Amino acid sequence: MNKELMEALDILEKEKEISKETLFEAIENSLITACKNHFGKADNVKVEIDRETCDFLCYAEKEVVEEVEDDVLQISLTDAQEISKKAKLGDMLHVEIKSKEFGRIATQNAKNVILQKIREEERSVIFNQYYEKEKDVVTGIVQRYIGRNISINLGKADAVLNESEQVRGENFRPTERIKVYILEVKNTPKGPRILVSRTHPELVKRLFEAEVTEIKDGTVEIMSIAREAGSRTKLAVRSNNPNVDAVGACVGINGARVNSIVDELCGEKIDIVNWDENPGNLIQNALSPAKIVAVFADPDEKTAKVVVPDYQLSLAIGKEGQNARLAARLTGYKIDIKSETQAKDAPGFRYEDYVYDDDEYDEEAYEEEEYTQEGYEEEYEEDYDSVDSEEAEYDEESYEEDPEQADPEA
């Protein structure tokens, strides 16, 4: 019997990750509970279990007296000398209790005590396991839809993907494997309650940390991230090694690294830009692929004024203002974007307040233009086409109305 008990404890320890010591304590408490149910009280009952052999001894400490008033706490001298010939009045004698003599109810209660302890420890182990993974990304299997929420199996526990944490347009099938970001792990009487997200910006950050070796080892650092889940994410990265290109490391050979993350996010577009301590340069990078004429940033007020060529205004702002909105979140600056024409017409405008040094600007603009054409041509083709037809017609009419443009001789 003791061998079978040891094997059962080994299996529980392996499968449920519950320590043997905890299980031994549960057995001891169950025997004490059984004694209390059998005798009515168990204040003087002790249980000892050998951790190596699983042999256990259950005994009651009784005082040797001439006349027994409470047979649970006392024992007569005659009965005591049958157990130990050296017993004398006033001694405390250990009287063994035979657990086989317990009744059915006492035995059932002892069993329930052990099972309850195992369940509590199992919940505690699962809670601790997933609490350590809080604010991290895990892979789960879609189980079923509960109303508009989704139940996701994470292995030893189920998580809930609330409607508010789902990306609009994403539809999952049962048994489909997806990556989720663990928002919070709560300990409840029914076990751990795990809340996960697919919209949190940290999900993208953790995916890059898992995919890009340079980020994992600290060579490349993610400085800022702005996300509109399901549509576009902007990521600002910095290299701590002058020989490592931060953007190139994140993109990978032929875009392999970033494409795997895009696939995991169901086609969400990702812009990766270089971080710069200079606010003006950072804002210029954040607004890419739009060509920037000039930037004036106020670090104290956290505001910035940006001038772009007339034909680049729609691209800089982005569809429904998305590009400018994400750039503002990425940099932490409130950005005011104007075309060259709008800026010149603005009261109090002085062009020299905005423009960089001419030589430096020309060189940077040339490099930015070349990078834009090569690296972003396909990805932002949609943004170039996003200018509606009415705007295009208006630009064409204004072009024809301008006498200098309409008549070459003029």
Side-chain angles (χ1 to χ4, degrees):
M1 185 66 184
N2 292 343
K3 183 179 179 181
E4 293 176 358
L5 178 59
M6 180 63 78
E7 291 176 354
L9 295 178
D10 288 337
I11 293 172
L12 282 172
E13 185 178 39
K14 184 177 180 181
E15 291 184 354
K16 300 186 180 294
E17 298 182 8
I18 303 174
S19 67
K20 279 185 182 179
E21 184 61 33
T22 301
L23 295 170
F24 281 128
E25 291 176 1
I27 295 172
E28 290 174 352
N29 293 332
S30 69
L31 289 171
I32 293 174
T33 302
C35 290
K36 187 174 182 179
N37 289 324
H38 186 72
F39 298 112
K41 54 180 155 180
D43 298 338
N44 62 329
V45 174
K46 305 292 182 183
V47 178
E48 295 179 357
I49 300 179
D50 190 319
R51 271 46 173 174
E52 300 295 330
T53 63
C54 280
D55 292 330
F56 66 91
L57 175 64
C58 184
Y59 62 89
E61 293 181 340
K62 294 186 178 183
E63 183 182 1
V64 180
V65 295
E66 288 185 0
E67 185 177 346
V68 177
E69 296 179 357
D70 187 344
D71 58 357
V72 176
L73 302 175
Q74 299 172 338
I75 186 173
S76 65
L77 179 61
T78 305
D79 293 338
Q81 288 179 341
E82 290 180 1
I83 298 173
S84 175
K85 294 181 179 180
K86 297 181 180 180
K88 57 184 179 179
L89 293 175
D91 287 351
M92 297 299 295
L93 195 66
H94 291 178
V95 180
E96 184 178 357
I97 299 173
K98 301 293 184 181
S99 57
K100 292 182 180 180
E101 298 175 359
F102 293 160
R104 181 182 62 83
I105 296 177
T107 305
Q108 186 66 35
N109 289 339
K111 175 184 174 183
N112 291 338
V113 169
I114 296 175
L115 293 177
Q116 179 65 25
K117 185 63 175 179
I118 291 174
R119 281 193 292 266
E120 289 176 359
E121 285 300 313
E122 187 177 5
R123 290 171 185 168
S124 177
V125 168
I126 295 173
F127 171 79
N128 292 332
Q129 180 179 345
Y130 286 98
Y131 185 77
E132 292 175 357
K133 296 181 180 179
E134 197 175 65
K135 312 303 180 187
D136 205 351
V137 171
V138 295
T139 302
I141 300 175
V142 177
Q143 287 189 310
R144 64 189 181 279
Y145 279 81
I146 306 173
R148 294 185 177 182
N149 300 333
I150 305 176
S151 175
I152 299 175
N153 181 261
L154 301 181
K156 293 184 177 180
D158 291 342
V160 178
L161 180 60
N162 291 324
E163 182 186 8
S164 60
E165 299 297 335
Q166 298 174 28
V167 177
R168 185 178 300 177
E170 283 188 351
N171 293 308
F172 302 111
R173 301 182 305 275
T175 71
E176 187 174 352
R177 300 177 71 88
I178 62 172
K179 291 188 182 295
V180 292
Y181 178 78
I182 298 181
L183 282 176
E184 186 180 17
V185 181
K186 298 179 180 178
N187 201 2
T188 68
K190 294 184 179 180
R193 178 177 171 80
I194 305 171
L195 301 177
V196 295
S197 172
R198 287 277 296 177
T199 62
H200 203 283
E202 286 290 317
L203 172 63
V204 181
K205 184 177 181 180
R206 298 299 183 192
L207 289 175
F208 269 98
E209 289 175 354
E211 186 70 29
V212 182
T213 308
E214 289 81 358
I215 294 179
K216 189 182 298 184
D217 63 23
T219 305
V220 174
E221 189 176 355
I222 297 176
M223 302 300 296
S224 181
I225 185 169
R227 184 186 185 200
E228 289 191 357
S231 179
R232 189 181 293 276
T233 294
K234 280 186 180 287
L235 203 71
V237 294
R238 179 180 69 183
S239 175
N240 295 320
N241 186 336
N243 298 321
V244 176
D245 177 21
V247 174
C250 294
V251 172
I253 300 174
N254 296 326
R257 288 175 170 177
V258 72
N259 285 340
S260 66
I261 297 173
V262 169
D263 292 341
E264 180 60 44
L265 298 175
C266 300
E268 182 176 318
K269 294 180 180 178
I270 300 177
D271 300 346
I272 306 172
V273 301
N274 282 308
W275 174 267
D276 200 303
E277 296 296 337
N278 185 311
N281 295 337
L282 177 60
I283 292 170
Q284 183 173 343
N285 294 342
L287 286 170
S288 65
K291 180 180 176 181
I292 308 300
V293 173
V295 178
F296 176 75
D298 187 345
D300 297 329
E301 298 292 331
K302 287 291 181 180
T303 60
K305 296 179 181 179
V306 178
V307 180
V308 300
D310 291 359
Y311 70 94
Q312 292 274 293
L313 181 60
S314 296
L315 182 59
I317 295 174
K319 188 176 181 180
E320 299 178 353
Q322 186 185 67
N323 194 53
R325 190 164 56 248
L326 287 175
R329 291 182 194 169
L330 189 74
T331 59
Y333 278 72
K334 184 178 179 181
I335 302 175
D336 181 18
I337 303 176
K338 294 183 182 297
S339 66
E340 287 185 292
T341 302
Q342 292 172 337
K344 289 176 182 177
D345 293 341
F349 172 78
R350 293 196 310 163
Y351 202 82
E352 57 271 17
D353 290 343
Y354 291 85
V355 180
Y356 296 111
D357 181 78
D358 290 342
D359 296 336
E360 180 183 352
Y361 167 71
D362 291 342
E363 181 180 354
E364 290 184 356
Y366 175 80
E367 292 176 355
E368 181 68 23
E369 176 69 13
E370 185 179 18
Y371 179 74
T372 298
Q373 295 297 327
E374 292 179 2
Y376 284 85
E377 187 173 0
E378 294 182 4
E379 184 175 355
Y380 288 91
E381 184 177 359
E382 181 180 321
D383 289 338
Y384 279 104
D385 296 339
S386 65
V387 182
D388 58 31
S389 58
E390 292 183 9
E391 229 179 281
E393 288 176 7
Y394 175 80
D395 292 341
E396 185 177 350
E397 289 174 5
S398 63
Y399 177 82
E400 292 177 354
E401 289 174 4
D402 189 338
E404 294 184 2
Q405 298 292 342
D407 188 358
E409 294 181 0

